[in-house]
């Protein structure tokens, strides 16, 4: 099996382990050595407990994996300055992972923050 295939399978396993579950530090440390990513996930799980991740597309080349997906959850915890709205959210994002020695060592992320704010009722639609 190629490195790309192994890393693709690793990312699928990782996303399945997180999706719909509490993202404990122990669980995250099993898959991630990138502390910034761990903190980001813990922050989002605090605001959207047990959020789900739905993979829409996954590309892998060598030690790089790119995922186009959606985050689906309920806003039950404070999100920055936004108090819980109890609203359901479903918004797209793209994340790239660099994998070394069976762990995510770095990442980048692009998310549709405007859609998230609109779903939380914080930002009015521009249309």
């Amino acid at each position: 099996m190629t490195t790309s295939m192994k890393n693709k399978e690793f990312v699928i396993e990782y996303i399945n382990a997180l999706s719909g579950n509490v993202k404990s530090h122990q669980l995250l440390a099993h898959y991630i050595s990138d502390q910034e990513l761990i903190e980001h996930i813990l922050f989002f799980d605090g605001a959207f407990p047990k959020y789900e991740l739905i993979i829409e597309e996954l590309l892998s080349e060598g030690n790089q994996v790119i995922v186009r997906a959606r985050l689906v959850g309920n806003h039950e915890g404070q999100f920055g300055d936004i108090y819980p709205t109890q609203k359901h959210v479903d918004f797209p994002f793209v994340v790239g992972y660099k994998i070394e020695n069976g762990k995510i060592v770095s990442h980048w992320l692009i998310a549709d923050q405007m859609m998230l704010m609109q779903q939380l009722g914080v930002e009015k639609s521009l249309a």
Side-chain angles (χ1 to χ4, degrees):
M1 181 181 297
T2 67
T3 299
S4 290
M5 296 266 306
K6 286 178 187 174
N7 287 334
K8 190 174 183 178
E9 287 183 2
F10 169 79
V11 168
I12 291 169
E13 176 187 322
Y14 154 73
I15 288 177
N16 286 336
L18 269 59
S19 187
N21 295 310
V22 172
K23 285 92 176 147
S24 70
H25 201 284
Q26 181 180 4
L27 174 64
L28 298 175
H30 179 75
Y31 294 98
I32 307 166
S33 64
D34 178 353
Q35 192 59 41
E36 183 181 328
L37 179 57
I38 290 173
E39 290 171 14
H40 177 82
I41 292 168
L42 292 172
F43 171 76
F44 263 81
D45 201 50
F48 307 94
K50 297 184 181 180
Y51 65 80
E52 294 181 64
L53 300 167
I54 300 167
I55 297 172
E56 295 185 335
E57 186 175 10
L58 193 140
L59 304 168
S60 180
E61 182 68 35
N63 67 346
Q64 303 284 327
V65 179
I66 298 176
V67 181
R68 185 173 60 83
R70 294 186 352 257
L71 182 147
V72 178
N74 294 310
H75 182 213
E76 299 173 9
Q78 190 158 343
F79 182 64
D81 293 337
I82 305 168
Y83 290 98
T85 63
Q86 306 307 317
K87 292 186 178 183
H88 181 75
V89 297
D90 182 341
F91 65 95
F93 68 94
V94 177
V95 61
Y97 300 113
K98 182 176 179 183
I99 300 165
E100 292 179 359
N101 301 317
K103 290 208 178 191
I104 297 168
V105 296
S106 66
H107 78 290
W108 56 263
L109 175 73
I110 301 170
D112 192 336
Q113 295 175 340
M114 180 65 80
M115 181 181 285
L116 173 60
M117 294 298 116
Q118 288 171 346
Q119 291 176 13
L120 293 176
V122 177
E123 184 69 34
K124 299 289 184 207
S125 174
L126 298 176

